[in-house]
Amino acid sequence: REQARLKASVVEEDTEEWQKDPHFSGLQRVGGVDLSYTKGDESRACASLVVLSYPALEVLYQDCRMVAVSAPYVAGFLAFREVPVLVEAVQRLQQEEPQLQPQVLLVDGNGLLHPRGFGTACHLGVLTDLPCIGVAKNLLHVDGVVRDELHREQVRALQRSGETFPLIGSSGKVLGMVLRSHSNSSKPLYVSVGHRVSLGTAVRLVRACCRFRVPEPIRQVRPRRRRGAAG
């Protein structure tokens, strides 16, 4: 019921002027978030938030803190376990360095590409009211979308950086986009709308943030995440 209530607030369209500009003029700060669990202990995790400049993609802010995770893992409801501590990370930034608040967040996970159309990127976007984009490295099997031979053929057909094809569910709804983000990697990304951004803009921005396969706001979270988890 809570997911359904929050889902009603998701905005699947561009709401900011910079989103409507082909070169994202006006976009200066892009954030990335992730949660990494301590090996062998699912009750402890490192909640990470980084903010990068755009288009230079240089680190402006970083926060990686060990937190207690109390909610149990339930498939399809991961956001209830992870989003509260990510919201706290965003709130700390807003209080300590408000001038560095990101204009958009890239989330290591899914948005509308979710069994109930309300993944972590949607959940975090609604609670923070920030534009959010889901960026997943693996395909979540939703609404008849599966990694079958046809899907693998479509992935192999992505020859150049920036090439895409849509993920269309049995319902006929476009759930996300498969993106070849870098010419040196044949493994795609699965991009989906989180909140206050259109799918087309989400794909363009993810690609613009990729120096390698994974976009920098998420890639930069990962080494910091590992250091925090080890400390």
Side-chain angles (χ1 to χ4, degrees):
R1 288 197 301 269
E2 181 71 359
Q3 275 188 335
R5 183 183 71 81
L6 293 172
K7 182 183 176 183
S9 299
V10 171
V11 176
E12 301 179 36
E13 302 169 354
D14 293 328
T15 61
E16 307 301 300
E17 286 303 313
W18 63 261
Q19 295 168 327
K20 302 165 188 176
D21 185 281
H23 305 291
F24 296 129
S25 298
L27 177 61
Q28 299 177 314
R29 297 173 305 281
V30 180
V33 295
D34 191 21
L35 201 70
S36 173
Y37 293 92
T38 303
K39 191 173 183 179
D41 183 2
E42 291 294 302
S43 67
R44 298 269 295 164
C46 182
S48 300
L49 165 66
V50 299
V51 180
L52 307 186
S53 63
Y54 186 87
L57 301 177
E58 296 174 344
V59 176
L60 302 175
Y61 174 93
Q62 57 192 32
D63 180 15
C64 181
R65 301 198 185 188
M66 294 304 298
V67 296
V69 181
S70 57
Y73 171 75
V74 181
F77 297 94
L78 182 65
F80 287 96
R81 180 174 168 86
E82 299 191 344
V83 165
V85 294
L86 297 177
V87 169
E88 289 175 5
V90 173
Q91 290 173 338
R92 279 196 300 272
L93 167 59
Q94 291 170 332
Q95 292 166 4
E96 297 170 5
E97 303 278 359
Q99 75 281 7
L100 295 180
Q101 173 168 291
Q103 293 161 277
V104 59
L105 282 173
L106 272 57
V107 180
D108 189 359
N110 292 293
L112 295 180
L113 183 59
H114 179 268
R116 282 167 298 284
F118 194 72
T120 301
C122 297
H123 205 134
L124 184 62
V126 169
L127 293 186
T128 62
D129 199 33
L130 290 174
C132 280
I133 299 170
V135 185
K137 295 181 283 295
N138 298 299
L139 177 63
L140 186 64
H141 294 187
V142 176
D143 191 18
V145 173
V146 294
R147 194 170 56 216
D148 56 12
E149 186 53 37
L150 173 60
H151 179 83
R152 288 189 283 269
E153 285 180 11
Q154 290 175 305
V155 169
R156 286 193 291 269
L158 301 176
Q159 295 295 311
R160 294 187 296 276
S161 171
E163 291 188 345
T164 63
F165 67 87
L167 287 169
I168 302 174
S170 301
S171 61
K173 181 177 175 62
V174 176
L175 305 173
M177 198 73 73
V178 183
L179 167 69
R180 180 160 182 167
S181 56
H182 197 277
S183 56
N184 289 342
S185 176
S186 59
K187 294 181 179 179
L189 296 175
Y190 298 92
V191 181
S192 57
V193 168
H195 183 52
R196 293 180 55 191
V197 63
S198 69
L199 183 57
T201 296
V203 171
R204 285 196 301 120
L205 181 60
V206 169
R207 186 192 175 200
C209 289
C210 286
R211 289 175 174 163
F212 304 96
R213 178 198 175 203
V214 176
E216 287 300 296
I218 292 176
R219 200 178 77 87
Q220 290 292 338
V221 163
R222 291 157 69 196
R224 290 169 175 76
R225 178 184 73 185
R226 282 196 290 271
R227 284 201 292 271

